[in-house]
Amino acid sequence: LASKLPIVFSFAEDQRDRRAFMMVSRSAGTLQQFHAPGEGDILGMGMNAIVHRAQLSLTQADGGHRDEQDEKPADNHSQIKEEGGEDAHWDAAVKRPFSLDKMLVFLQKSSEAGLAKRLRLANLLNSDGRVLYFYGLGLGLSTNAYNNKEYKFELMLLAKYEEDFSTYTMRCFVEEYISSESSAMSEDQQVSIKKLQSEFSITSVKVFLVSLLNAFRDLTLMGIQAFDFNHLNNVLVSRDYQSVRLIDIDGNAQGSVDYPTLERAFANNGNTPSSMTHKHPPQKPCLDIDLNILLPSVIEQLILGKGRGKSFVSNTRSEIWRATEDDGKAMIRKILLEDFYPGINEETEGELKIKVHLHVTKVAEWFYALLKKKSPWANWTHDIYDAMRCIDHLPIS
């Protein structure tokens, strides 16, 4: 595989000069400057790397350049597939570390490239696509942003790019979900956000959270030891808000899960391979992830914050926490009725009103116990399985 169109990236000796990494050249003598992720196929930027979008296509089997195929005799085995044919090209997210040190770190077995190899081998366990699919490593060319006669080769990590997820992170989703109308927004933004908020039901909340926790479980199934859930930019959200995709799966370089049964089996024979000796004692296989901070915050914003803003969620949470149990649940019921059932009011009569109030009461009971960590959800953030059990019991009807 090779880039369908020629592309040269940019770099700077000072890795803190992020602007210098946001230039791209697609033709001789030009180097176009971009200023923020979202421009010029720049998908994102973190502390350690920048991610570009590139289109890959097949090269000739004999190693010849794809542009040279018209100059050679036709050969079914050396020709690339036609432009419109199946698998003629692939969209890729290209991750470039900012420095050689960072590149060497992310190539280690316990870091992202090593885990990407594991994920690719275990891709049958990723049938729902909740974990980013990796193509492998690639070699790219970049030029010094301040000296276009200086070039270097870089090892880059290539992952699958899908338009449906694109650059829409969980952080963007939550911000739009809780945002109130603002004159600073464009008309298109206001329409999009209003549509999201009006169509996102209690069932949508549950579907979204189930997809997130199932993605964490998929990592566990694939043998990954840890996931960094200390910010919301590691999770992409689909445009229909029903599924998520995990990215940045290096897990603080903890590598894959240790299996103590294998260690003990070798130890009993007295011939433990050096590759299986660990500095840490054997542990129960599990996903090392912090669910105590962000997951409760996300749920609070989904339940309390639709179109109300972050400060409302924070203040309301504090009020519920200080109130008596009955008053706290009454506050939750009121918000749920206003946000998720705006058509139900005091003038509404009949069986529908009774059913809605019964459902809202059940949701309020569930959310209050989750918020205050009361039985049966006293330990719901202990691990992903306790969290999944808790979300399973979110009433939807």
Side-chain angles (χ1 to χ4, degrees):
L1 292 178
S3 175
K4 185 178 179 182
L5 298 174
I7 182 170
V8 177
F9 303 107
S10 64
F11 72 94
E13 296 297 339
D14 185 356
Q15 60 180 293
R16 297 170 298 179
D17 186 3
R18 303 298 167 80
R19 185 174 180 272
F21 287 84
M22 292 193 287
M23 300 182 187
V24 174
S25 175
R26 298 186 185 276
S27 60
T30 63
L31 195 60
Q32 188 174 1
Q33 173 73 63
F34 301 103
H35 301 282
E39 297 181 6
D41 289 338
I42 297 177
L43 301 179
M45 181 182 299
M47 295 297 295
N48 300 316
I50 183 172
V51 182
H52 301 266
R53 180 185 178 184
Q55 199 170 67
L56 308 178
S57 62
L58 290 168
T59 57
Q60 293 176 287
D62 62 1
H65 194 278
R66 59 192 179 285
D67 296 335
E68 299 171 355
Q69 59 180 344
D70 294 333
E71 302 173 8
K72 295 184 177 182
D75 183 340
N76 291 334
H77 298 288
S78 63
Q79 299 256 346
I80 64 170
K81 296 184 181 179
E82 291 299 322
E83 176 68 24
E86 183 182 0
D87 293 334
H89 61 264
W90 294 264
D91 268 343
V94 181
K95 187 169 187 177
R96 302 171 50 224
F98 286 128
S99 66
L100 177 61
D101 291 342
K102 295 183 185 300
M103 185 189 303
L104 294 175
V105 168
F106 107 125
L107 289 175
Q108 293 175 4
K109 182 179 179 181
S110 62
S111 222
E112 190 160 20
L115 293 183
K117 181 179 179 181
R118 165 179 279 273
L119 290 176
R120 185 175 172 85
L121 292 173
N123 196 55
L124 286 176
L125 297 171
N126 189 32
S127 57
D128 292 315
R130 288 183 285 254
V131 180
L132 189 66
Y133 179 79
F134 291 91
Y135 294 129
L137 290 173
L139 189 65
L141 184 67
S142 62
T143 182
N144 192 320
Y146 302 104
N147 179 7
N148 57 17
K149 293 183 179 180
E150 179 183 349
Y151 295 88
K152 71 175 183 179
F153 290 103
E154 299 179 6
L155 272 177
M156 306 170 184
L157 186 60
L158 309 181
K160 187 177 183 180
Y161 170 86
E162 289 189 26
E163 189 70 36
D164 188 43
F165 288 87
S166 187
T167 59
Y168 193 54
T169 64
M170 192 169 171
R171 177 183 174 182
C172 295
F173 162 72
V174 172
E175 287 177 352
E176 291 186 359
Y177 180 85
I178 66 174
S179 67
S180 53
E181 290 188 13
S182 169
S183 58
M185 295 181 186
S186 68
E187 185 176 346
D188 290 343
Q189 284 179 310
Q190 292 181 12
V191 170
S192 175
I193 290 173
K194 188 174 182 180
K195 184 175 185 293
L196 161 63
Q197 294 173 353
S198 63
E199 296 180 355
F200 210 81
S201 64
I202 293 292
T203 300
S204 301
V205 171
K206 185 167 186 174
V207 169
F208 180 81
L209 294 172
V210 166
S211 178
L212 178 64
L213 291 171
N214 279 339
F216 295 153
R217 183 172 183 270
D218 288 348
L219 280 183
T220 308
L221 291 174
M222 300 167 86
I224 303 301
Q225 182 164 323
F227 180 75
D228 180 10
F229 194 49
N230 291 316
H231 58 85
L232 298 179
N233 288 328
N234 281 352
V235 183
L236 298 180
V237 179
S238 64
R239 296 297 176 172
D240 61 4
Y241 317 113
Q242 294 185 4
S243 58
V244 304
R245 178 159 297 163
L246 303 183
I247 58 177
D248 281 350
I249 44 81
D250 57 335
N252 297 320
Q254 293 190 43
S256 51
V257 172
D258 291 325
Y259 292 95
T261 52
L262 295 178
E263 289 186 344
R264 292 193 187 112
F266 280 105
N268 291 338
N269 295 330
N271 56 352
T272 305
S274 59
S275 61
M276 295 189 63
T277 58
H278 299 275
K279 298 178 181 178
H280 305 291
Q283 62 177 22
K284 182 190 296 183
C286 62
L287 183 69
D288 184 1
I289 182 173
D290 185 357
L291 300 178
N292 291 296
I293 300 174
L294 281 188
L295 186 59
S297 175
V298 168
I299 295 175
E300 290 163 14
Q301 291 177 83
L302 291 176
I303 296 295
L304 303 176
K306 184 195 285 191
R308 294 179 181 265
K310 197 166 186 176
S311 59
F312 176 86
V313 176
S314 179
N315 294 335
T316 303
R317 182 190 185 281
S318 298
E319 291 174 10
I320 294 172
W321 191 269
R322 294 193 302 265
T324 63
E325 182 170 341
D326 290 341
D327 289 344
K329 292 177 180 177
M331 293 170 63
I332 298 170
R333 288 196 298 271
K334 182 175 182 295
I335 293 171
L336 290 172
L337 282 170
E338 292 175 353
D339 292 351
F340 293 96
Y341 299 99
I344 304 296
N345 51 48
E346 294 180 357
E347 299 177 357
T348 306
E349 297 180 356
E351 186 179 359
L352 176 61
K353 182 176 181 180
I354 296 173
K355 289 183 176 180
V356 167
H357 277 271
L358 180 60
H359 176 228
V360 165
T361 299
K362 292 179 180 178
V363 176
E365 293 279 348
W366 173 85
F367 181 70
Y368 186 84
L370 175 148
L371 181 68
K372 300 292 291 274
K373 288 198 170 182
K374 290 180 172 289
S375 179
W377 312 126
N379 298 312
W380 75 276
T381 58
H382 178 67
D383 61 30
I384 61 171
Y385 297 102
D386 287 331
M388 292 174 75
R389 192 176 300 111
C390 177
I391 301 304
D392 284 348
H393 284 80
L394 167 57
I396 59 172
S397 64

